Amino acid sequence: MSQKLAWIETELNALREQGLYNTIRALNSPQGAWLEVDGRRVLNLCSNNYLGLANHPRLREAAKAAIDRMGIGPAAVRSIAGTTTLHLELENKLAAFKKVEAALTFQSGFNANIAVIPALVGKGDVIFSDQLNHASIIDGCRLSRAEIVAYEHNNVDDLRKKIAQTGEYGRRIIISDGVFSMDGDIAPLPELYEVAEEHDILLMVDDAHGEGVLGNGGRGIVDHFGLHDKVDIEVGTMSKAFGVVGGMVAGKQILIDWLKQRARPFLFSSAMTLPDVAACLEAVDMLAESTELVDRLWANAETFKQGMKQLGFDTGVTQTPIVPVMLGEAPLAQQFSRRLFEEGVFAMAIGFPTVPKGKARIRVMNSAAHTPEDLETALAAFERVGKSLGVI
Ligand SMILES: *Cc1c(COP(=O)(O)O)cnc(C)c1O
């Protein structure tokens, strides 16, 4: 027997010993406030289903109607025969919703980053990237072959210093997450814009956790800070608050025209499916009609955060509905998560390498789908487990 794969067993065992082995649970129900997991009904505190749209009747109906009218698969990459009028309608609606000239959809937010970064910078260019940027930004940067200069997280002074220290390059771009997904803090976008303006550097923000969450009715971080027309590239996802799947890039028409010529995931990978596109269209309509879901999301998050603080938990630096419950070592976080699950609450432990060593946590994702009773259930479970493990 060949031993070619034996090293994987060694690596996996090492992960298990360090409490870093990630066990993936399977759901046997739609995404919602409650889930059926491993045969149990549990309160869901870990999805990015911020607005409860993942199983919303309006989105389901829109997807079904699209299947009946247009079928399912795009059957080709978009530049050959895979662009439908539905795709174009979604892009026009997204552009209007986000108050930009144009938008382009991708199969996912991950793909949007891999598409846009290498299309804008390459060899001889430089990227200034927040040290805690999402993996898809990091991969997009690496694929571009531009020089990558990481600056300290949300530290505009360090960014200025790094720009001053950096020699001559062709094109330059500053890239930051809008909301940082593990801590729930928000990028200082107005200050990043000032720096970008001063030095005539492109500015890109990845608003994956801000889309449908920040700004008026969920229009995102640019709307939140009133920076319309000032941020060159907005990346977003429809896989989180929109409750579907898909990515987008929004900005000037000329940017979108260029991506259609040069972005490799656009040119070499098939488009979003028709039911996905139709469900996203419905999600944008719902957000444009009313701020009710976004308002409820923020009210729920506020209730949960206040409750956790009163119980004595450390909820880190969050400014959004993402609530990290800081626990320190990974095995404690894993044990905490298992105990919560026994209490009927599903909340994931997150450890290295997703967050730094010694900063393991339970990450709670709030949702507009939760009722006040759900929040009480969650807080009571955290209290019981926190006390029994000596955290509070
Ligand atoms: C989740 C996330 C993505 C990936 O989005 P998908 O649509 O799930 O591929 C990209 N960037 C950031 C910052 C994210 O949080």
Side-chain angles (χ1 to χ4, degrees), residues 108-111 113 134 136 177 179 181 206 208-209 237 239-240 246:
S108 70
F110 201 110
N111 269 12
N113 276 323
H134 188 260
S136 57
D177 271 28
V179 173
S181 58
D206 177 352
H209 282 276
T237 180
S239 322
K240 290 177 175 143

Side-chain angles (χ1 to χ4, degrees), residues 23-29 35-42 341 346:
T23 307
I24 301 172
R25 294 188 191 269
L27 318 183
N28 188 31
S29 63
L35 302 171
E36 190 192 314
V37 184
D38 297 344
R40 295 194 54 166
R41 187 170 174 270
V42 289
F341 194 79
F346 188 27

